Amino acid sequence: MKIIKPPALRKGDNIGIISPSEPVIYKKEFSRGVETLKKLGFGVVLGKNIFKKYGAYLAGRDVERAADFNAMFKDKRIRAIFCSHGGFNSNQILDLIDYNIIKRNPKIFMGFSDISVLLNAIYKKTGLVTFHGQNIEFGFSRGFSGKYKYTYEYFKKA
């Protein structure tokens, strides 16, 4: 399989944020994370279902979460996709992901925790290099000063 490396981010690029697992829970922290991305020079586009609550722990039904996922990969304005946070149940959308859209529109995809199942599936089915890294609600919300400067330095390198 051919390994696909997504194009690097540049200031002014748009980052899409989705919740393929749990919805945004801590809106204050999430807002700080979005502001951090904007301060770094990026535009931010939110998925339709990031705040939606379905059942106890889901950001919408499986088809809604997968629709956000597929829409962000299809959208030519989006250069990277970051997850709001992890949780569990992102495995429920694996069969609803359009892997051909990902192959035709390679871009940065980043998250951790439950998102690891998506990182691995994307690579296995498409060859796209994905990134196990900060999410918005509990990562970027801390900013990049003080003890988080290390995180910023390696985010830039990646």
Side-chain angles (χ1 to χ4, degrees), residues 20 62 65-66 69-70 89-99 102 114-122 125:
D62 296 349
R65 291 180 288 127
F69 184 98
N70 291 328
N89 294 318
S90 65
N91 62 313
Q92 294 173 337
I93 70 169
L94 290 173
D95 291 341
L96 301 171
I97 292 173
D98 187 334
Y99 295 97
I102 296 170
D114 178 53
I115 305 307
S116 298
V117 72
L118 299 174
L119 301 174
N120 290 322
I122 290 168
K125 295 201 176 247

mmCIF file with all atom_site columns, all heavy atoms in Angstrom, residues 20 62 65-66 69-70 89-99 102 114-122 125:
data_model
loop_
_atom_site.group_PDB
_atom_site.id
_atom_site.type_symbol
_atom_site.label_atom_id
_atom_site.label_alt_id
_atom_site.label_comp_id
_atom_site.label_asym_id
_atom_site.label_entity_id
_atom_site.label_seq_id
_atom_site.pdbx_PDB_ins_code
_atom_site.Cartn_x
_atom_site.Cartn_y
_atom_site.Cartn_z
_atom_site.occupancy
_atom_site.B_iso_or_equiv
_atom_site.pdbx_formal_charge
_atom_site.auth_seq_id
_atom_site.auth_comp_id
_atom_site.auth_asym_id
_atom_site.auth_atom_id
_atom_site.pdbx_PDB_model_num
ATOM 1   N N   . PRO A 1 20  ? -16.455 12.568 16.758 1.00 0.00 ? 20  PRO A N   1
ATOM 2   C CA  . PRO A 1 20  ? -16.841 11.233 16.291 1.00 0.00 ? 20  PRO A CA  1
ATOM 3   C C   . PRO A 1 20  ? -17.224 10.286 17.413 1.00 0.00 ? 20  PRO A C   1
ATOM 4   O O   . PRO A 1 20  ? -17.659 9.172  17.161 1.00 0.00 ? 20  PRO A O   1
ATOM 5   C CB  . PRO A 1 20  ? -15.591 10.735 15.568 1.00 0.00 ? 20  PRO A CB  1
ATOM 6   C CG  . PRO A 1 20  ? -14.485 11.599 16.007 1.00 0.00 ? 20  PRO A CG  1
ATOM 7   C CD  . PRO A 1 20  ? -15.052 12.844 16.583 1.00 0.00 ? 20  PRO A CD  1
ATOM 8   N N   . ASP A 1 62  ? -25.048 7.325  15.058 1.00 0.00 ? 62  ASP A N   1
ATOM 9   C CA  . ASP A 1 62  ? -23.875 6.901  14.282 1.00 0.00 ? 62  ASP A CA  1
ATOM 10  C C   . ASP A 1 62  ? -23.835 7.586  12.919 1.00 0.00 ? 62  ASP A C   1
ATOM 11  O O   . ASP A 1 62  ? -22.783 8.066  12.501 1.00 0.00 ? 62  ASP A O   1
ATOM 12  C CB  . ASP A 1 62  ? -23.881 5.386  14.081 1.00 0.00 ? 62  ASP A CB  1
ATOM 13  C CG  . ASP A 1 62  ? -23.759 4.600  15.376 1.00 0.00 ? 62  ASP A CG  1
ATOM 14  O OD1 . ASP A 1 62  ? -23.463 5.207  16.432 1.00 0.00 ? 62  ASP A OD1 1
ATOM 15  O OD2 . ASP A 1 62  ? -23.981 3.372  15.329 1.00 0.00 ? 62  ASP A OD2 1
ATOM 16  N N   . ARG A 1 65  ? -22.721 11.308 13.250 1.00 0.00 ? 65  ARG A N   1
ATOM 17  C CA  . ARG A 1 65  ? -21.286 11.460 13.536 1.00 0.00 ? 65  ARG A CA  1
ATOM 18  C C   . ARG A 1 65  ? -20.455 11.108 12.304 1.00 0.00 ? 65  ARG A C   1
ATOM 19  O O   . ARG A 1 65  ? -19.487 11.801 11.977 1.00 0.00 ? 65  ARG A O   1
ATOM 20  C CB  . ARG A 1 65  ? -20.892 10.599 14.733 1.00 0.00 ? 65  ARG A CB  1
ATOM 21  C CG  . ARG A 1 65  ? -21.494 11.132 16.030 1.00 0.00 ? 65  ARG A CG  1
ATOM 22  C CD  . ARG A 1 65  ? -21.134 10.301 17.253 1.00 0.00 ? 65  ARG A CD  1
ATOM 23  N NE  . ARG A 1 65  ? -21.836 9.022  17.224 1.00 0.00 ? 65  ARG A NE  1
ATOM 24  C CZ  . ARG A 1 65  ? -21.264 7.826  17.342 1.00 0.00 ? 65  ARG A CZ  1
ATOM 25  N NH1 . ARG A 1 65  ? -19.967 7.716  17.526 1.00 0.00 ? 65  ARG A NH1 1
ATOM 26  N NH2 . ARG A 1 65  ? -21.996 6.730  17.305 1.00 0.00 ? 65  ARG A NH2 1
ATOM 27  N N   . ALA A 1 66  ? -20.848 10.057 11.599 1.00 0.00 ? 66  ALA A N   1
ATOM 28  C CA  . ALA A 1 66  ? -20.136 9.672  10.378 1.00 0.00 ? 66  ALA A CA  1
ATOM 29  C C   . ALA A 1 66  ? -20.329 10.721 9.287  1.00 0.00 ? 66  ALA A C   1
ATOM 30  O O   . ALA A 1 66  ? -19.397 10.997 8.513  1.00 0.00 ? 66  ALA A O   1
ATOM 31  C CB  . ALA A 1 66  ? -20.618 8.308  9.891  1.00 0.00 ? 66  ALA A CB  1
ATOM 32  N N   . PHE A 1 69  ? -17.883 13.448 9.890  1.00 0.00 ? 69  PHE A N   1
ATOM 33  C CA  . PHE A 1 69  ? -16.563 12.932 9.532  1.00 0.00 ? 69  PHE A CA  1
ATOM 34  C C   . PHE A 1 69  ? -16.351 12.991 8.016  1.00 0.00 ? 69  PHE A C   1
ATOM 35  O O   . PHE A 1 69  ? -15.390 13.577 7.524  1.00 0.00 ? 69  PHE A O   1
ATOM 36  C CB  . PHE A 1 69  ? -16.448 11.493 10.039 1.00 0.00 ? 69  PHE A CB  1
ATOM 37  C CG  . PHE A 1 69  ? -15.104 10.871 9.833  1.00 0.00 ? 69  PHE A CG  1
ATOM 38  C CD1 . PHE A 1 69  ? -14.184 10.837 10.858 1.00 0.00 ? 69  PHE A CD1 1
ATOM 39  C CD2 . PHE A 1 69  ? -14.777 10.288 8.615  1.00 0.00 ? 69  PHE A CD2 1
ATOM 40  C CE1 . PHE A 1 69  ? -12.942 10.259 10.669 1.00 0.00 ? 69  PHE A CE1 1
ATOM 41  C CE2 . PHE A 1 69  ? -13.543 9.709  8.419  1.00 0.00 ? 69  PHE A CE2 1
ATOM 42  C CZ  . PHE A 1 69  ? -12.616 9.691  9.453  1.00 0.00 ? 69  PHE A CZ  1
ATOM 43  N N   . ASN A 1 70  ? -17.285 12.396 7.271  1.00 0.00 ? 70  ASN A N   1
ATOM 44  C CA  . ASN A 1 70  ? -17.159 12.353 5.810  1.00 0.00 ? 70  ASN A CA  1
ATOM 45  C C   . ASN A 1 70  ? -17.226 13.746 5.185  1.00 0.00 ? 70  ASN A C   1
ATOM 46  O O   . ASN A 1 70  ? -16.495 14.050 4.240  1.00 0.00 ? 70  ASN A O   1
ATOM 47  C CB  . ASN A 1 70  ? -18.242 11.456 5.218  1.00 0.00 ? 70  ASN A CB  1
ATOM 48  C CG  . ASN A 1 70  ? -18.028 9.994  5.541  1.00 0.00 ? 70  ASN A CG  1
ATOM 49  O OD1 . ASN A 1 70  ? -16.902 9.519  5.666  1.00 0.00 ? 70  ASN A OD1 1
ATOM 50  N ND2 . ASN A 1 70  ? -19.114 9.260  5.709  1.00 0.00 ? 70  ASN A ND2 1
ATOM 51  N N   . ASN A 1 89  ? -16.963 4.678  21.655 1.00 0.00 ? 89  ASN A N   1
ATOM 52  C CA  . ASN A 1 89  ? -17.975 4.425  20.620 1.00 0.00 ? 89  ASN A CA  1
ATOM 53  C C   . ASN A 1 89  ? -17.646 4.963  19.234 1.00 0.00 ? 89  ASN A C   1
ATOM 54  O O   . ASN A 1 89  ? -18.477 4.882  18.349 1.00 0.00 ? 89  ASN A O   1
ATOM 55  C CB  . ASN A 1 89  ? -19.369 4.907  21.044 1.00 0.00 ? 89  ASN A CB  1
ATOM 56  C CG  . ASN A 1 89  ? -19.907 4.116  22.210 1.00 0.00 ? 89  ASN A CG  1
ATOM 57  O OD1 . ASN A 1 89  ? -19.753 2.905  22.236 1.00 0.00 ? 89  ASN A OD1 1
ATOM 58  N ND2 . ASN A 1 89  ? -20.504 4.783  23.165 1.00 0.00 ? 89  ASN A ND2 1
ATOM 59  N N   . SER A 1 90  ? -16.463 5.515  19.005 1.00 0.00 ? 90  SER A N   1
ATOM 60  C CA  . SER A 1 90  ? -16.146 5.917  17.636 1.00 0.00 ? 90  SER A CA  1
ATOM 61  C C   . SER A 1 90  ? -16.048 4.695  16.723 1.00 0.00 ? 90  SER A C   1
ATOM 62  O O   . SER A 1 90  ? -16.209 4.816  15.511 1.00 0.00 ? 90  SER A O   1
ATOM 63  C CB  . SER A 1 90  ? -14.878 6.764  17.577 1.00 0.00 ? 90  SER A CB  1
ATOM 64  O OG  . SER A 1 90  ? -13.750 6.025  17.967 1.00 0.00 ? 90  SER A OG  1
ATOM 65  N N   . ASN A 1 91  ? -15.818 3.514  17.310 1.00 0.00 ? 91  ASN A N   1
ATOM 66  C CA  . ASN A 1 91  ? -15.790 2.294  16.502 1.00 0.00 ? 91  ASN A CA  1
ATOM 67  C C   . ASN A 1 91  ? -17.131 2.041  15.810 1.00 0.00 ? 91  ASN A C   1
ATOM 68  O O   . ASN A 1 91  ? -17.192 1.354  14.795 1.00 0.00 ? 91  ASN A O   1
ATOM 69  C CB  . ASN A 1 91  ? -15.414 1.089  17.362 1.00 0.00 ? 91  ASN A CB  1
ATOM 70  C CG  . ASN A 1 91  ? -16.409 0.818  18.472 1.00 0.00 ? 91  ASN A CG  1
ATOM 71  O OD1 . ASN A 1 91  ? -16.817 1.738  19.179 1.00 0.00 ? 91  ASN A OD1 1
ATOM 72  N ND2 . ASN A 1 91  ? -16.797 -0.426 18.638 1.00 0.00 ? 91  ASN A ND2 1
ATOM 73  N N   . GLN A 1 92  ? -18.214 2.617  16.329 1.00 0.00 ? 92  GLN A N   1
ATOM 74  C CA  . GLN A 1 92  ? -19.527 2.406  15.729 1.00 0.00 ? 92  GLN A CA  1
ATOM 75  C C   . GLN A 1 92  ? -19.682 3.074  14.365 1.00 0.00 ? 92  GLN A C   1
ATOM 76  O O   . GLN A 1 92  ? -20.613 2.748  13.632 1.00 0.00 ? 92  GLN A O   1
ATOM 77  C CB  . GLN A 1 92  ? -20.616 2.914  16.679 1.00 0.00 ? 92  GLN A CB  1
ATOM 78  C CG  . GLN A 1 92  ? -20.703 2.118  17.956 1.00 0.00 ? 92  GLN A CG  1
ATOM 79  C CD  . GLN A 1 92  ? -21.671 2.728  18.956 1.00 0.00 ? 92  GLN A CD  1
ATOM 80  O OE1 . GLN A 1 92  ? -21.966 3.919  18.910 1.00 0.00 ? 92  GLN A OE1 1
ATOM 81  N NE2 . GLN A 1 92  ? -22.162 1.905  19.855 1.00 0.00 ? 92  GLN A NE2 1
ATOM 82  N N   . ILE A 1 93  ? -18.786 3.995  14.015 1.00 0.00 ? 93  ILE A N   1
ATOM 83  C CA  . ILE A 1 93  ? -18.916 4.662  12.710 1.00 0.00 ? 93  ILE A CA  1
ATOM 84  C C   . ILE A 1 93  ? -17.960 4.097  11.658 1.00 0.00 ? 93  ILE A C   1
ATOM 85  O O   . ILE A 1 93  ? -17.988 4.536  10.510 1.00 0.00 ? 93  ILE A O   1
ATOM 86  C CB  . ILE A 1 93  ? -18.765 6.194  12.820 1.00 0.00 ? 93  ILE A CB  1
ATOM 87  C CG1 . ILE A 1 93  ? -17.332 6.610  13.160 1.00 0.00 ? 93  ILE A CG1 1
ATOM 88  C CG2 . ILE A 1 93  ? -19.770 6.766  13.804 1.00 0.00 ? 93  ILE A CG2 1
ATOM 89  C CD1 . ILE A 1 93  ? -17.073 8.101  13.026 1.00 0.00 ? 93  ILE A CD1 1
ATOM 90  N N   . LEU A 1 94  ? -17.150 3.129  12.023 1.00 0.00 ? 94  LEU A N   1
ATOM 91  C CA  . LEU A 1 94  ? -16.149 2.603  11.086 1.00 0.00 ? 94  LEU A CA  1
ATOM 92  C C   . LEU A 1 94  ? -16.759 2.158  9.759  1.00 0.00 ? 94  LEU A C   1
ATOM 93  O O   . LEU A 1 94  ? -16.200 2.429  8.695  1.00 0.00 ? 94  LEU A O   1
ATOM 94  C CB  . LEU A 1 94  ? -15.369 1.451  11.714 1.00 0.00 ? 94  LEU A CB  1
ATOM 95  C CG  . LEU A 1 94  ? -14.405 1.829  12.832 1.00 0.00 ? 94  LEU A CG  1
ATOM 96  C CD1 . LEU A 1 94  ? -13.828 0.576  13.475 1.00 0.00 ? 94  LEU A CD1 1
ATOM 97  C CD2 . LEU A 1 94  ? -13.310 2.743  12.313 1.00 0.00 ? 94  LEU A CD2 1
ATOM 98  N N   . ASP A 1 95  ? -17.879 1.472  9.793  1.00 0.00 ? 95  ASP A N   1
ATOM 99  C CA  . ASP A 1 95  ? -18.504 0.988  8.558  1.00 0.00 ? 95  ASP A CA  1
ATOM 100 C C   . ASP A 1 95  ? -19.238 2.083  7.796  1.00 0.00 ? 95  ASP A C   1
ATOM 101 O O   . ASP A 1 95  ? -19.675 1.861  6.664  1.00 0.00 ? 95  ASP A O   1
ATOM 102 C CB  . ASP A 1 95  ? -19.483 -0.146 8.871  1.00 0.00 ? 95  ASP A CB  1
ATOM 103 C CG  . ASP A 1 95  ? -18.778 -1.410 9.334  1.00 0.00 ? 95  ASP A CG  1
ATOM 104 O OD1 . ASP A 1 95  ? -17.561 -1.552 9.076  1.00 0.00 ? 95  ASP A OD1 1
ATOM 105 O OD2 . ASP A 1 95  ? -19.432 -2.249 9.975  1.00 0.00 ? 95  ASP A OD2 1
ATOM 106 N N   . LEU A 1 96  ? -19.378 3.254  8.390  1.00 0.00 ? 96  LEU A N   1
ATOM 107 C CA  . LEU A 1 96  ? -20.077 4.370  7.743  1.00 0.00 ? 96  LEU A CA  1
ATOM 108 C C   . LEU A 1 96  ? -19.121 5.399  7.151  1.00 0.00 ? 96  LEU A C   1
ATOM 109 O O   . LEU A 1 96  ? -19.554 6.355  6.516  1.00 0.00 ? 96  LEU A O   1
ATOM 110 C CB  . LEU A 1 96  ? -21.010 5.053  8.755  1.00 0.00 ? 96  LEU A CB  1
ATOM 111 C CG  . LEU A 1 96  ? -22.075 4.143  9.370  1.00 0.00 ? 96  LEU A CG  1
ATOM 112 C CD1 . LEU A 1 96  ? -22.795 4.863  10.503 1.00 0.00 ? 96  LEU A CD1 1
ATOM 113 C CD2 . LEU A 1 96  ? -23.061 3.676  8.312  1.00 0.00 ? 96  LEU A CD2 1
ATOM 114 N N   . ILE A 1 97  ? -17.844 5.197  7.355  1.00 0.00 ? 97  ILE A N   1
ATOM 115 C CA  . ILE A 1 97  ? -16.837 6.105  6.800  1.00 0.00 ? 97  ILE A CA  1
ATOM 116 C C   . ILE A 1 97  ? -16.637 5.785  5.329  1.00 0.00 ? 97  ILE A C   1
ATOM 117 O O   . ILE A 1 97  ? -16.528 4.627  4.942  1.00 0.00 ? 97  ILE A O   1
ATOM 118 C CB  . ILE A 1 97  ? -15.510 5.963  7.572  1.00 0.00 ? 97  ILE A CB  1
ATOM 119 C CG1 . ILE A 1 97  ? -15.673 6.495  8.996  1.00 0.00 ? 97  ILE A CG1 1
ATOM 120 C CG2 . ILE A 1 97  ? -14.382 6.689  6.848  1.00 0.00 ? 97  ILE A CG2 1
ATOM 121 C CD1 . ILE A 1 97  ? -14.475 6.241  9.891  1.00 0.00 ? 97  ILE A CD1 1
ATOM 122 N N   . ASP A 1 98  ? -16.569 6.826  4.520  1.00 0.00 ? 98  ASP A N   1
ATOM 123 C CA  . ASP A 1 98  ? -16.295 6.665  3.091  1.00 0.00 ? 98  ASP A CA  1
ATOM 124 C C   . ASP A 1 98  ? -14.785 6.805  2.893  1.00 0.00 ? 98  ASP A C   1
ATOM 125 O O   . ASP A 1 98  ? -14.259 7.913  2.774  1.00 0.00 ? 98  ASP A O   1
ATOM 126 C CB  . ASP A 1 98  ? -17.061 7.697  2.271  1.00 0.00 ? 98  ASP A CB  1
ATOM 127 C CG  . ASP A 1 98  ? -16.954 7.467  0.781  1.00 0.00 ? 98  ASP A CG  1
ATOM 128 O OD1 . ASP A 1 98  ? -15.957 6.863  0.331  1.00 0.00 ? 98  ASP A OD1 1
ATOM 129 O OD2 . ASP A 1 98  ? -17.866 7.904  0.055  1.00 0.00 ? 98  ASP A OD2 1
ATOM 130 N N   . TYR A 1 99  ? -14.082 5.694  2.877  1.00 0.00 ? 99  TYR A N   1
ATOM 131 C CA  . TYR A 1 99  ? -12.628 5.698  2.781  1.00 0.00 ? 99  TYR A CA  1
ATOM 132 C C   . TYR A 1 99  ? -12.140 6.203  1.428  1.00 0.00 ? 99  TYR A C   1
ATOM 133 O O   . TYR A 1 99  ? -11.014 6.703  1.320  1.00 0.00 ? 99  TYR A O   1
ATOM 134 C CB  . TYR A 1 99  ? -12.064 4.313  3.115  1.00 0.00 ? 99  TYR A CB  1
ATOM 135 C CG  . TYR A 1 99  ? -12.333 3.932  4.550  1.00 0.00 ? 99  TYR A CG  1
ATOM 136 C CD1 . TYR A 1 99  ? -13.418 3.121  4.894  1.00 0.00 ? 99  TYR A CD1 1
ATOM 137 C CD2 . TYR A 1 99  ? -11.529 4.408  5.577  1.00 0.00 ? 99  TYR A CD2 1
ATOM 138 C CE1 . TYR A 1 99  ? -13.674 2.790  6.217  1.00 0.00 ? 99  TYR A CE1 1
ATOM 139 C CE2 . TYR A 1 99  ? -11.785 4.084  6.911  1.00 0.00 ? 99  TYR A CE2 1
ATOM 140 C CZ  . TYR A 1 99  ? -12.860 3.285  7.216  1.00 0.00 ? 99  TYR A CZ  1
ATOM 141 O OH  . TYR A 1 99  ? -13.120 2.971  8.532  1.00 0.00 ? 99  TYR A OH  1
ATOM 142 N N   . ILE A 1 102 ? -11.596 9.877  1.713  1.00 0.00 ? 102 ILE A N   1
ATOM 143 C CA  . ILE A 1 102 ? -10.330 10.156 2.401  1.00 0.00 ? 102 ILE A CA  1
ATOM 144 C C   . ILE A 1 102 ? -9.164  10.026 1.426  1.00 0.00 ? 102 ILE A C   1
ATOM 145 O O   . ILE A 1 102 ? -8.280  10.881 1.399  1.00 0.00 ? 102 ILE A O   1
ATOM 146 C CB  . ILE A 1 102 ? -10.150 9.215  3.610  1.00 0.00 ? 102 ILE A CB  1
ATOM 147 C CG1 . ILE A 1 102 ? -11.247 9.474  4.645  1.00 0.00 ? 102 ILE A CG1 1
ATOM 148 C CG2 . ILE A 1 102 ? -8.762  9.387  4.227  1.00 0.00 ? 102 ILE A CG2 1
ATOM 149 C CD1 . ILE A 1 102 ? -11.307 8.449  5.766  1.00 0.00 ? 102 ILE A CD1 1
ATOM 150 N N   . ASP A 1 114 ? -10.173 7.357  22.436 1.00 0.00 ? 114 ASP A N   1
ATOM 151 C CA  . ASP A 1 114 ? -11.057 6.540  21.610 1.00 0.00 ? 114 ASP A CA  1
ATOM 152 C C   . ASP A 1 114 ? -10.829 6.769  20.118 1.00 0.00 ? 114 ASP A C   1
ATOM 153 O O   . ASP A 1 114 ? -11.092 5.895  19.296 1.00 0.00 ? 114 ASP A O   1
ATOM 154 C CB  . ASP A 1 114 ? -12.514 6.863  21.972 1.00 0.00 ? 114 ASP A CB  1
ATOM 155 C CG  . ASP A 1 114 ? -13.505 6.093  21.132 1.00 0.00 ? 114 ASP A CG  1
ATOM 156 O OD1 . ASP A 1 114 ? -13.394 4.861  21.079 1.00 0.00 ? 114 ASP A OD1 1
ATOM 157 O OD2 . ASP A 1 114 ? -14.386 6.716  20.539 1.00 0.00 ? 114 ASP A OD2 1
ATOM 158 N N   . ILE A 1 115 ? -10.303 7.913  19.764 1.00 0.00 ? 115 ILE A N   1
ATOM 159 C CA  . ILE A 1 115 ? -10.075 8.267  18.358 1.00 0.00 ? 115 ILE A CA  1
ATOM 160 C C   . ILE A 1 115 ? -9.014  7.356  17.737 1.00 0.00 ? 115 ILE A C   1
ATOM 161 O O   . ILE A 1 115 ? -8.936  7.237  16.517 1.00 0.00 ? 115 ILE A O   1
ATOM 162 C CB  . ILE A 1 115 ? -9.675  9.759  18.257 1.00 0.00 ? 115 ILE A CB  1
ATOM 163 C CG1 . ILE A 1 115 ? -10.729 10.654 18.932 1.00 0.00 ? 115 ILE A CG1 1
ATOM 164 C CG2 . ILE A 1 115 ? -9.454  10.169 16.817 1.00 0.00 ? 115 ILE A CG2 1
ATOM 165 C CD1 . ILE A 1 115 ? -12.166 10.442 18.470 1.00 0.00 ? 115 ILE A CD1 1
ATOM 166 N N   . SER A 1 116 ? -8.232  6.672  18.557 1.00 0.00 ? 116 SER A N   1
ATOM 167 C CA  . SER A 1 116 ? -7.190  5.773  18.035 1.00 0.00 ? 116 SER A CA  1
ATOM 168 C C   . SER A 1 116 ? -7.748  4.739  17.067 1.00 0.00 ? 116 SER A C   1
ATOM 169 O O   . SER A 1 116 ? -7.082  4.371  16.100 1.00 0.00 ? 116 SER A O   1
ATOM 170 C CB  . SER A 1 116 ? -6.465  5.070  19.183 1.00 0.00 ? 116 SER A CB  1
ATOM 171 O OG  . SER A 1 116 ? -5.820  6.010  19.997 1.00 0.00 ? 116 SER A OG  1
ATOM 172 N N   . VAL A 1 117 ? -8.960  4.264  17.297 1.00 0.00 ? 117 VAL A N   1
ATOM 173 C CA  . VAL A 1 117 ? -9.551  3.287  16.388 1.00 0.00 ? 117 VAL A CA  1
ATOM 174 C C   . VAL A 1 117 ? -9.734  3.905  14.997 1.00 0.00 ? 117 VAL A C   1
ATOM 175 O O   . VAL A 1 117 ? -9.535  3.232  13.978 1.00 0.00 ? 117 VAL A O   1
ATOM 176 C CB  . VAL A 1 117 ? -10.872 2.704  16.940 1.00 0.00 ? 117 VAL A CB  1
ATOM 177 C CG1 . VAL A 1 117 ? -12.008 3.710  16.904 1.00 0.00 ? 117 VAL A CG1 1
ATOM 178 C CG2 . VAL A 1 117 ? -11.262 1.444  16.193 1.00 0.00 ? 117 VAL A CG2 1
ATOM 179 N N   . LEU A 1 118 ? -10.067 5.183  14.935 1.00 0.00 ? 118 LEU A N   1
ATOM 180 C CA  . LEU A 1 118 ? -10.210 5.864  13.642 1.00 0.00 ? 118 LEU A CA  1
ATOM 181 C C   . LEU A 1 118 ? -8.849  6.104  12.995 1.00 0.00 ? 118 LEU A C   1
ATOM 182 O O   . LEU A 1 118 ? -8.693  5.923  11.780 1.00 0.00 ? 118 LEU A O   1
ATOM 183 C CB  . LEU A 1 118 ? -10.954 7.192  13.826 1.00 0.00 ? 118 LEU A CB  1
ATOM 184 C CG  . LEU A 1 118 ? -12.367 7.088  14.384 1.00 0.00 ? 118 LEU A CG  1
ATOM 185 C CD1 . LEU A 1 118 ? -12.940 8.476  14.650 1.00 0.00 ? 118 LEU A CD1 1
ATOM 186 C CD2 . LEU A 1 118 ? -13.268 6.307  13.443 1.00 0.00 ? 118 LEU A CD2 1
ATOM 187 N N   . LEU A 1 119 ? -7.867  6.511  13.799 1.00 0.00 ? 119 LEU A N   1
ATOM 188 C CA  . LEU A 1 119 ? -6.512  6.719  13.272 1.00 0.00 ? 119 LEU A CA  1
ATOM 189 C C   . LEU A 1 119 ? -6.013  5.443  12.592 1.00 0.00 ? 119 LEU A C   1
ATOM 190 O O   . LEU A 1 119 ? -5.487  5.484  11.471 1.00 0.00 ? 119 LEU A O   1
ATOM 191 C CB  . LEU A 1 119 ? -5.549  7.104  14.398 1.00 0.00 ? 119 LEU A CB  1
ATOM 192 C CG  . LEU A 1 119 ? -5.850  8.353  15.209 1.00 0.00 ? 119 LEU A CG  1
ATOM 193 C CD1 . LEU A 1 119 ? -4.871  8.481  16.374 1.00 0.00 ? 119 LEU A CD1 1
ATOM 194 C CD2 . LEU A 1 119 ? -5.835  9.596  14.352 1.00 0.00 ? 119 LEU A CD2 1
ATOM 195 N N   . ASN A 1 120 ? -6.190  4.317  13.276 1.00 0.00 ? 120 ASN A N   1
ATOM 196 C CA  . ASN A 1 120 ? -5.708  3.041  12.743 1.00 0.00 ? 120 ASN A CA  1
ATOM 197 C C   . ASN A 1 120 ? -6.504  2.578  11.525 1.00 0.00 ? 120 ASN A C   1
ATOM 198 O O   . ASN A 1 120 ? -5.937  2.075  10.558 1.00 0.00 ? 120 ASN A O   1
ATOM 199 C CB  . ASN A 1 120 ? -5.730  1.971  13.836 1.00 0.00 ? 120 ASN A CB  1
ATOM 200 C CG  . ASN A 1 120 ? -4.675  2.237  14.892 1.00 0.00 ? 120 ASN A CG  1
ATOM 201 O OD1 . ASN A 1 120 ? -3.574  2.671  14.587 1.00 0.00 ? 120 ASN A OD1 1
ATOM 202 N ND2 . ASN A 1 120 ? -5.014  1.988  16.140 1.00 0.00 ? 120 ASN A ND2 1
ATOM 203 N N   . ALA A 1 121 ? -7.811  2.750  11.551 1.00 0.00 ? 121 ALA A N   1
ATOM 204 C CA  . ALA A 1 121 ? -8.641  2.329  10.412 1.00 0.00 ? 121 ALA A CA  1
ATOM 205 C C   . ALA A 1 121 ? -8.322  3.152  9.170  1.00 0.00 ? 121 ALA A C   1
ATOM 206 O O   . ALA A 1 121 ? -8.237  2.609  8.062  1.00 0.00 ? 121 ALA A O   1
ATOM 207 C CB  . ALA A 1 121 ? -10.126 2.452  10.769 1.00 0.00 ? 121 ALA A CB  1
ATOM 208 N N   . ILE A 1 122 ? -8.162  4.454  9.353  1.00 0.00 ? 122 ILE A N   1
ATOM 209 C CA  . ILE A 1 122 ? -7.844  5.321  8.210  1.00 0.00 ? 122 ILE A CA  1
ATOM 210 C C   . ILE A 1 122 ? -6.531  4.884  7.570  1.00 0.00 ? 122 ILE A C   1
ATOM 211 O O   . ILE A 1 122 ? -6.433  4.740  6.348  1.00 0.00 ? 122 ILE A O   1
ATOM 212 C CB  . ILE A 1 122 ? -7.782  6.799  8.640  1.00 0.00 ? 122 ILE A CB  1
ATOM 213 C CG1 . ILE A 1 122 ? -9.180  7.310  8.994  1.00 0.00 ? 122 ILE A CG1 1
ATOM 214 C CG2 . ILE A 1 122 ? -7.164  7.672  7.542  1.00 0.00 ? 122 ILE A CG2 1
ATOM 215 C CD1 . ILE A 1 122 ? -9.174  8.655  9.706  1.00 0.00 ? 122 ILE A CD1 1
ATOM 216 N N   . LYS A 1 125 ? -6.908  1.360  5.796  1.00 0.00 ? 125 LYS A N   1
ATOM 217 C CA  . LYS A 1 125 ? -7.741  1.307  4.595  1.00 0.00 ? 125 LYS A CA  1
ATOM 218 C C   . LYS A 1 125 ? -7.315  2.269  3.494  1.00 0.00 ? 125 LYS A C   1
ATOM 219 O O   . LYS A 1 125 ? -7.709  2.099  2.337  1.00 0.00 ? 125 LYS A O   1
ATOM 220 C CB  . LYS A 1 125 ? -9.192  1.555  4.965  1.00 0.00 ? 125 LYS A CB  1
ATOM 221 C CG  . LYS A 1 125 ? -9.753  0.451  5.850  1.00 0.00 ? 125 LYS A CG  1
ATOM 222 C CD  . LYS A 1 125 ? -11.245 0.416  5.797  1.00 0.00 ? 125 LYS A CD  1
ATOM 223 C CE  . LYS A 1 125 ? -11.761 -0.742 6.593  1.00 0.00 ? 125 LYS A CE  1
ATOM 224 N NZ  . LYS A 1 125 ? -12.383 -1.749 5.790  1.00 0.00 ? 125 LYS A NZ  1
#
